[in-house]
Amino acid sequence: VVTRVLKYIAYISAVCLLGIMLVAFINVIGEKLRKLGLPVTGIPASTEIVQYLHIPVVFLAAAFVTLDRGHTRIDLLCVKLPKALQKVFAIIGNLCGIGICTLISYRGFIQMGKFIARHKMSSVSGVGFPLWPFALIMSVGFILLALSFLWAIVRSRFCCKTRGTELFCAGAAYDRKGCFGVGTKRGGAAMEYIEVTGGNPLRGSIR
């Protein structure tokens, strides 16, 4: 359910990215037509629109990418540590992510209140639009990112066990003897696991 909700929210990010592309395309066409002598102009405040649409593009998709473990990870040193210590460091990293994202989200809501009180606009001259919705989007995005880090901890701690069988998921994969064996494979938003039953792996997925 968590993955599905974050995935639908990420669709909004994709729509905003499409909007950036359309604004840029219309401006290029308008500039070409204007050079041909036609009374055509581009979209007003297009520069501000493109700039601020990057906020939902980035922050509304970050939680889903994090949950799907799609970010770049530098594990040059971590992979040389014992597996149990790797798991501890993973939990510590997720806890740090929760704290940082919660703090940024809190400050974002404060900034949103200031934007509303001051009627802050994207431009002091010409065509402009209110900035507080983008501060809200950023704050909500960091809340979702914090929830994504929290769910990563829950998933690695509790979702790897069912009916006495260990499942390989979220980097916390142990067999019945407590040995860290086969690595996790992921496909999309589903977690693929390997169920150890008599030495014969059976593949499946958890959503």
Side-chain angles (χ1 to χ4, degrees):
V1 177
V2 175
T3 302
R4 192 173 302 170
V5 171
L6 293 180
K7 184 177 181 180
Y8 289 150
I9 294 175
Y11 287 155
I12 302 176
S13 176
V15 172
C16 293
L17 185 60
L18 179 62
I20 292 175
M21 181 187 70
L22 291 177
V23 170
F25 175 76
I26 293 174
N27 276 347
V28 170
I29 296 299
E31 181 65 20
K32 297 297 183 181
L33 294 178
R34 188 180 66 82
K35 289 183 177 181
L36 294 176
L38 297 177
V40 179
T41 59
I43 299 177
S46 59
T47 302
E48 289 85 357
I49 292 175
V50 171
Q51 288 176 347
Y52 287 100
L53 278 180
H54 279 85
I55 294 177
V57 166
V58 173
F59 294 109
L60 293 184
F64 178 71
V65 175
T66 301
L67 193 65
D68 200 43
R69 301 178 70 183
H71 290 297
T72 301
R73 299 179 62 188
I74 301 175
D75 55 1
L76 182 63
L77 298 177
C78 184
V79 293
K80 301 181 183 299
L81 299 174
K83 299 301 181 179
L85 195 56
Q86 289 184 30
K87 184 178 180 182
V88 171
F89 281 141
I91 294 176
I92 292 175
N94 287 328
L95 290 175
C96 290
I98 292 173
I100 294 172
C101 292
T102 302
L103 176 61
I104 296 177
S105 178
Y106 169 72
R107 296 301 305 176
F109 281 117
I110 292 178
Q111 189 66 33
M112 182 190 70
K114 292 180 179 179
F115 284 163
I116 295 176
R118 299 173 183 175
H119 302 285
K120 187 72 173 179
M121 305 292 288
S122 62
S123 177
V124 295
S125 60
V127 180
F129 46 84
L131 291 183
W132 69 264
F134 298 96
L136 175 62
I137 291 173
M138 187 193 73
S139 301
V140 171
F142 273 106
I143 288 178
L144 295 175
L145 189 55
L147 292 176
S148 180
F149 283 122
L150 178 61
W151 178 244
I153 296 175
V154 174
R155 183 175 61 185
S156 64
R157 180 63 181 86
F158 298 105
C159 293
C160 294
K161 297 179 180 179
T162 176
R163 296 180 182 178
T165 302
E166 299 291 348
L167 304 180
F168 293 78
C169 67
Y174 293 86
D175 61 18
R176 289 180 177 178
K177 296 181 180 180
C179 299
F180 195 98
V182 185
T184 304
K185 296 182 64 179
R186 298 185 54 79
M191 296 181 294
E192 295 187 359
Y193 66 85
I194 299 175
E195 182 180 355
V196 181
T197 55
N200 296 322
L202 303 175
R203 295 186 179 274
S205 63
I206 301 177
R207 293 189 180 274

